[in-house]
Each structure stands twice: as C-alpha cells, then as structure tokens.
Amino acid sequence: MGSWDVGTWKIGGLKLQLTEGGDGPPLLLVHGFPLDHTMWAGQLAELARQARVLAPDLRGFGHSEAEGEIVRMEQYADDLAAMLDARGIREPVVFCGLSMGGYIAWPFFRRHRPRLRGLILCDTRAAADTEMAARARLANAQRVLAEGVGFLAEAMLEKLFTAETVERRPELVEATRRVIVAASPQGVAAALRGMAARPDASAWLPEIDLPTLVICGREDAITSVEEMRGMAARLPQARFVEIAGAGHMSPLEQPQRVNEAIAEFLRES
C-alpha cells in the first residue's frame, strides 16, 4: 500500500484513528456499517496517486473509541470536520461515503458546506428508514449488546456481496466478516440507533450544489440501481455510474472499475 501515516487524534473526547497518504487535493473516504477504513483497501494506493487520501475509522469502529447509546449521523459528520481541523486541512475535500458513509454525507453537507469540493456517494440512499426497518435496527442494537456482533455478520454478508463473489472469492468475504465481528458492540449498537433516527434527506437533494458522483453495484441487494439512479437524477450536478459484477460493496468487489470512476471524477471536479 506504500507509505501511509496512521495517527490517533482526540476528537470530541474520544481517540479516533486516521490513516492517510498521498499528495494532492484531499479525498475523505468514509466507511460503511459495521466496517472500518480497511474496506477501502482497493482504493488507497491507487487514489493516493492523485489525492491526499484520508481514511478514518468512525467512532466505535476499527481502532476508534466508542461512547454513548446513540451516535447520530450529525455527530459522525462533526467528528470528521473536527478531524480535518486536527490535521490542519482547510482546503475543501471530496467526501466519498459508502452506505452509512453516504448517510453521513447529507448532514456533512448541511453543517459543513464550505469544507466540500464534491461528493461521491457509493451504494447508499437519501431516504430515511421505514418504520419496519427502524424497528429492526433498534432490535438488533439490543441483541448486539446482549449477544455480541457475530449474528449480525452472518446476517449481513450475503446482502453485501454478489453470489459470485461469495462463491469465487471467499477470502474477501471472510476478511469482511472478521472486520465486522471485531467491531465494538457498543459502537455497533450506537450506530444502529443513529441510523434508525436519521432524517429523510430526499428533500435536500436539489440543494446540493456540488459535483457529485453516484456509484451503485449492479447487483446491490440493499440500495438498488433504480433507487440510486433516481437519487442521482435529483442531484443538480450528478453523474451516475453502474458497476457490473458488484453488489453493495462495489469498492471491494470491483476496485478497478470504481477507481477509474473516482479518478475521472477527481480530475474533472
């Protein structure tokens, strides 16, 4: 992966870890749930050729500390802005978020608009949870605290990857499983409650006056191509890219195709 700096920064009273490397305009890679910065393993070295890549572990995930019963998407957004301050980054960033990382992009835009040069939204949605989905998240939060994260890993893996990836690349699926089961139960439960409580960002889409790249795995079982294409159509400056041979984890499953789309976007935005 080349030469990378890994540091721990005190943000909001917690120690949060940041991995960074490369030179150029800053690119902030925000992982999905319940993962950590290693989900960007296929992007780090390649994108560092043209950007200063910053890949944090959100509070409660990876090597970052957890706190509280609920972490709202606004809190994650504020953590990231504070981390940019801690690193002395004043230049506007391109914010790239997958799934929950995309949920965090919406409040980041509304609370920290001057810090943004562009958005990359991977396999995510603007809509809030349905009542049923929110109830399921809250129930899972209780179960995680009682039983640990193992059951969640087993339930999620088949939804994250295509059937072909599961069959032909079991090492990739197993590596993701290990990241999930290593997650802090407190951090996972707090994120589940935060996602269940997040507002519907659909009405905000026409306000997002930034170059935006929307990426969706063709076989995404969580956020469909149709839903994400519709979301992109409501964003004033969006380009939509469909990634063949990928499900919800398009950056992991098809890193070359995702990297090509991101690299082109970085050159043009």
Side-chain angles (χ1 to χ4, degrees), residues 40-92:
W40 302 109
Q43 282 66 56
L44 295 175
E46 185 67 28
L47 297 178
R49 298 172 189 267
Q50 65 183 103
R52 179 181 178 181
V53 177
L54 303 117
D57 286 345
L58 296 169
R59 61 166 66 199
F61 296 96
H63 293 281
S64 292
E65 292 181 333
E67 182 182 65
E69 294 185 359
I70 181 171
V71 181
R72 298 181 185 275
M73 301 303 105
E74 292 85 355
Q75 180 64 66
Y76 292 122
D78 291 348
D79 285 348
L80 294 171
M83 187 172 281
L84 295 176
D85 286 339
R87 299 301 298 123
I89 295 173
R90 300 288 180 262
E91 183 181 354

Side-chain angles (χ1 to χ4, degrees), residues 23-25 46-52 259 262-264 266-267:
D23 294 304
E46 185 67 28
L47 297 178
R49 298 172 189 267
Q50 65 183 103
R52 179 181 178 181
N259 291 348
I262 293 177
E264 182 179 356
L266 292 177
R267 286 193 298 270

Side-chain angles (χ1 to χ4, degrees), residues 120-137:
I120 303 173
L121 303 166
C122 302
D123 300 278
T124 191
R125 60 168 47 100
D129 279 354
T130 64
E131 186 177 342
M132 182 180 298
R135 283 202 304 266
R137 289 200 205 271

Side-chain angles (χ1 to χ4, degrees), residues 30 58 89 119 124 138 192 199 220:
V30 184
L58 296 169
I89 295 173
L119 290 175
T124 191
L138 296 176
L192 282 165
D220 192 330

Side-chain angles (χ1 to χ4, degrees), residues 7-37:
T8 301
W9 305 90
K10 199 72 172 288
I11 306 294
L14 298 178
K15 292 179 181 178
L16 305 185
Q17 182 170 291
L18 175 67
T19 299
E20 62 178 302
D23 294 304
L27 170 65
L28 182 62
L29 300 178
V30 184
H31 63 78
F33 170 89
L35 307 170
D36 63 17
H37 81 279

